Amino acid sequence: MTQSPLAANPLPAPGAPLDHYVSDAPFDPYSIEKMTPEQERVFRASQLRLIWWKFRRHRLAVISAIFLLLLYFVILIVEVLAPYNLHTRNVDFIHAPPQQVRLFHEGNFVGPFVYGRDMTLDMNTLKRNYADNPNKVEKLRFFCSGDTYKFWGLFKSSFHVVCPAKGGQFFLMGSDRLGRDVFSRILYGARVSLTIGLFGVAVSFVLGIVIGGLAGYRGGWFDLVVQRIIEVLQSIPSIPLWMALAAIMPVTWSPMLIYLGITAILGLLDWTGLARAVRSKLLSLREEDYVLAAQLMGAKSSRIIGRHLVPGFMSHLIATATLAIPGMILGETALSFLGLGLRAPITSWGILLTEARSVSVIAFYPWLMFPVIPVILVILAFNFLGDGLRDAADPYK
């Protein structure tokens, strides 16, 4: 006859202490739900790492970021990369067309070189005509000594990555009405046009986030005053306002002061849109429970806005910044093209385009329109970069 389980393990008597068995092994909280190494890598990654993983899948945005990084690296060493000094004039080669870089001469490999040119003057149109002379092989020099310059205004040097042949000329993108190399001037102009966008956006972002954040978080009379100021500024046409503010700057100002003045003008005019966007976002986010918890813990308004509210719409701020920078570049280009912005001897892409104001100049010397190419490429690159960063930083995707 089989013994009952209750008989084999009798129940303890009422009131008797129960036996407890406690394991001495350390408790592993991750033993409850085991994750694969791939899952653990994702779930334990920081927010920046997650943004980077998502951003690098956007091929076009990555290519744009690399292109922009190269451009901003170039502006650091413009003097070395440019074949000529910014103000070097070649009076014998006024309005010379671009020269083609060749490698072979009469079937023999020579290396990078250009043919010398012979100039003739058309007496009917008074136009200079240039023809390549195959008997003049002008081999380019690399890592050479050429025009002297002052690197960042600190010390003199004559080192260049590429130089024309001794006694020869090298105009990769042609020359202008004073015989100055267009390619070298485009490189020098990039330093001003690209940095004016960064400084202008920095000014507009500080004003937009601070003023818009306080208006959206505080509300009340401060919000009413800010909204009325924004409405007044946005009701003024942009072009007349730019003309009035640019005319305020004295002609006796140095080029650096004019540069800073144009940057401040562009920043002061561009903060209104961002301020309204920040205000609308904070009006909805300030009612969240985590904001109330931060207030009960005694957090200041600046900390709540900077640490809890702004990161909630960081993707919108990133998209706005990447769109505002090309807007600043276009604004400076338009002002300089109209003669209201930067003035010589400062060189920017807008100033270079002033050479191509008339239709006759464009018809005879189309290479003077080359400065518009980097403007288009930079604007497209910033837009593609903004799309990638916005998608990567969006917490709802």
Side-chain angles (χ1 to χ4, degrees), residues 8-31:
N9 300 297
L11 294 175
L18 299 177
D19 294 332
H20 293 276
Y21 299 95
V22 180
S23 175
D24 296 332
F27 174 69
D28 183 11
Y30 298 101
S31 63

Side-chain angles (χ1 to χ4, degrees), residues 83-84 99-105 108-117 133-145 161-171:
Y84 292 93
Q99 290 178 286
Q100 181 182 354
V101 179
R102 306 170 186 269
L103 297 177
F104 295 90
H105 174 63
N108 299 321
F109 179 78
V110 178
F113 72 94
V114 294
Y115 286 130
R117 282 181 166 169
N133 187 345
N135 297 323
K136 297 179 181 180
V137 177
E138 299 177 353
K139 190 173 180 180
L140 301 179
R141 297 177 294 142
F142 294 93
F143 305 104
C144 47
S145 177
V161 173
V162 59
C163 303
K166 291 288 188 180
Q169 304 297 329
F170 175 48
F171 301 115

Side-chain angles (χ1 to χ4, degrees), residues 205 208-209 211-219 223 227 230 272-291 304-306 308-320 390 393-397:
F205 255 58
I209 292 177
I211 298 177
L214 291 176
Y217 183 73
R218 291 287 186 181
D223 184 26
Q227 295 310 306
I230 291 176
T272 55
L274 178 62
R276 280 202 160 175
V278 172
R279 171 186 175 271
S280 62
K281 290 289 185 180
L282 292 189
L283 283 175
S284 60
L285 292 178
R286 71 178 184 178
E287 306 299 332
E288 298 290 338
D289 292 338
Y290 63 85
V291 177
I304 294 175
I305 294 174
H308 302 290
L309 295 179
V310 171
F313 58 97
M314 185 60 69
S315 61
H316 177 79
L317 294 178
I318 292 173
T320 303
R390 180 195 58 205
D394 193 347
Y396 301 104
K397 288 189 177 182

Side-chain angles (χ1 to χ4, degrees), residues 175-189:
S175 63
D176 62 6
R177 60 186 178 86
L178 298 177
R180 296 171 297 189
D181 181 36
V182 173
F183 176 67
S184 299
R185 291 175 63 77
I186 288 177
L187 292 180
Y188 277 96

Side-chain angles (χ1 to χ4, degrees), residues 203-276:
V203 173
S204 65
F205 255 58
V206 170
L207 293 176
I209 292 177
V210 172
I211 298 177
L214 291 176
Y217 183 73
R218 291 287 186 181
W221 65 268
F222 184 81
D223 184 26
L224 292 175
V225 172
V226 169
Q227 295 310 306
R228 300 296 81 77
I229 294 175
I230 291 176
E231 290 171 358
V232 171
L233 290 177
Q234 290 184 342
S235 65
I236 303 175
S238 299
I239 297 297
L241 183 60
W242 284 350
M243 294 173 64
L245 293 176
I248 294 175
M249 292 183 293
V251 182
T252 56
W253 276 13
S254 66
M256 182 57 65
L257 287 178
I258 295 176
Y259 171 79
L260 295 176
I262 294 294
T263 304
I265 289 173
L266 294 176
L268 290 173
L269 295 180
D270 198 60
W271 67 271
T272 55
L274 178 62
R276 280 202 160 175

Side-chain angles (χ1 to χ4, degrees), residues 72-85:
Y72 279 99
F73 174 74
V74 164
I75 66 176
L76 298 176
I77 54 173
V78 162
E79 294 88 350
V80 178
L81 296 177
Y84 292 93
N85 188 294

